[in-house]
Amino acid sequence: MARYGETLGDCVRAGPFVGMQITDGPDGFGFMKLIGTYEAELHPVIEKLIELARYETVVNVGCAEGFYAVGLALRLPSVRVYAFDILKQARQLCAHNADQNGVGDRVKVGGACKCSDLASLVLPGKSTLIVMDCEGAEKDLLRPDLIPGLLDADILVECHDFLDDSITPEILERFRQSHDMSLIDEQPREFPNLCGMQGLSAIDKAVAIFESRAAPMHWVVLRSRAHAKQSVACSRRALYDVTNSVTHAIP
Ligand SMILES: C[S@@+](CC[C@H](N)C(=O)[O-])C[C@H]1O[C@@H](n2cnc3c(N)ncnc32)[C@H](O)[C@@H]1O
């Protein structure tokens, strides 16, 4: 595997952030991020959010080494990205990866994300994208009663219901009136046909794409109806169609 890691270098080969240079993070998911299988079920939604919306701000909670924070800064050249992680090593890597991709001036990295942080960054009337993967803290942070700007934000959140099975129902209830909602289930992966990787054994390929999750995971996509009205050519069907095979629109 190490030999194949060297072949890849640190350049992402597939997915929405192809071409990004990424130094591996503490979660050890670097190889699958480079080959483009990491959270591959999200690629269509990420592409659609980039294509359809015009965000001023991206907030990434649980940024690890910056895969989403730096990737979105690269794909959305006018946004400012605020990335948070409780781990110092993650914050250092995220800042390093932002610098090595030339977006260090637009990616600000902070520690534990609190409701007060979100309240100061996610403002009513502004178009904000929140990408959140923070090990269950999503239930404490996605509080539109405390953070009114969330009603105008688009949100992609990984829900850790294996830790607390009230997380998804609670979040859906909070945003039912203000957002169009869809749910993305974790999908099986295939090792991609990438140049230089053909010699890997079947077992190495299986290990390389295994995301070692504690339970089958899902994500919720919340698209602000207020924001959708302001965006050109933005429709809820478009968001659903592109992910038709893996998402369920929630009435
Ligand atoms: C599974 S990782 C996220 C990986 C990310 N999806 C990626 O693509 O790289 C979850 C991260 O959330 C961080 N975290 C957990 N609670 C947090 C909080 N309240 N604020 C900021 N980061 C948090 C952890 O330190 C960890 O790095």
Side-chain angles (χ1 to χ4, degrees):
M1 284 288 285
R3 178 159 62 91
Y4 293 96
E6 281 166 27
T7 303
L8 287 172
D10 60 1
C11 182
V12 174
R13 297 292 188 88
F17 308 132
V18 65
M20 174 170 67
Q21 305 284 318
I22 200 94
T23 301
D24 195 3
D27 60 15
F29 290 158
F31 193 87
M32 58 189 81
K33 287 175 175 171
L34 292 174
I35 63 174
T37 59
Y38 178 72
E39 296 186 346
E41 50 282 272
L42 302 186
H43 292 179
V45 168
I46 298 273
E47 286 295 350
K48 209 66 199 171
L49 291 171
I50 289 169
E51 179 192 326
L52 293 179
R54 291 183 269 166
Y55 300 109
E56 295 158 70
T57 304
V58 170
V59 178
N60 181 204
V61 183
C63 64
E65 82 299 314
F67 183 70
Y68 288 107
V70 177
L72 288 167
L74 284 167
R75 292 292 309 274
L76 296 166
S78 62
V79 303
R80 297 196 74 78
V81 178
Y82 296 88
F84 292 89
D85 206 291
I86 50 179
L87 293 181
K88 186 176 177 190
Q89 188 191 359
R91 295 197 295 275
Q92 288 170 339
L93 275 165
C94 184
H96 166 77
N97 283 320
D99 285 341
Q100 74 166 338
N101 285 278
V103 294
D105 57 331
R106 288 189 293 115
V107 178
K108 188 163 185 292
V109 187
C113 183
K114 302 180 291 301
C115 284
S116 55
D117 297 309
L118 289 182
S120 66
L121 294 172
V122 184
L123 301 175
K126 300 286 183 188
S127 46
T128 306
L129 173 63
I130 300 174
V131 177
M132 185 174 283
D133 174 4
C134 52
E135 301 167 341
E138 60 269 20
K139 187 174 161 189
D140 297 328
L141 290 171
L142 293 178
R143 292 278 306 269
D145 54 330
L146 302 178
I147 311 163
L150 289 176
L151 298 175
D152 291 336
D154 290 347
I155 303 167
L156 170 59
V157 55
E158 182 168 333
C159 293
H160 296 77
D161 289 36
F162 71 93
L163 298 174
D164 171 355
D165 63 10
S166 72
I167 288 177
T168 298
E170 180 71 36
I171 288 174
L172 294 180
E173 193 50 42
R174 290 175 192 169
F175 292 93
R176 193 170 292 282
Q177 301 298 326
S178 56
H179 286 68
D180 293 332
M181 307 189 283
S182 53
L183 194 139
I184 303 175
D185 286 320
E186 184 180 342
Q187 296 295 305
R189 279 141 186 42
E190 278 183 24
F191 195 89
N193 187 15
L194 285 175
C195 183
M197 297 289 116
Q198 288 83 355
L200 267 180
S201 69
I203 186 81
D204 278 344
K205 285 182 179 176
V207 170
I209 60 173
F210 179 56
E211 294 185 10
S212 42
R213 298 184 183 277
M217 296 302 291
H218 63 263
W219 294 259
V220 166
V221 184
L222 302 169
R223 184 147 172 77
S224 166
R225 293 194 191 113
H227 176 62
K229 270 185 222 140
Q230 293 156 12
S231 293
V232 173
C234 179
S235 76
R236 50 192 295 198
R237 277 253 42 100
L239 189 60
Y240 295 158
D241 284 347
V242 76
T243 56
N244 201 29
S245 59
V246 293
T247 65
H248 319 290
I250 300 164

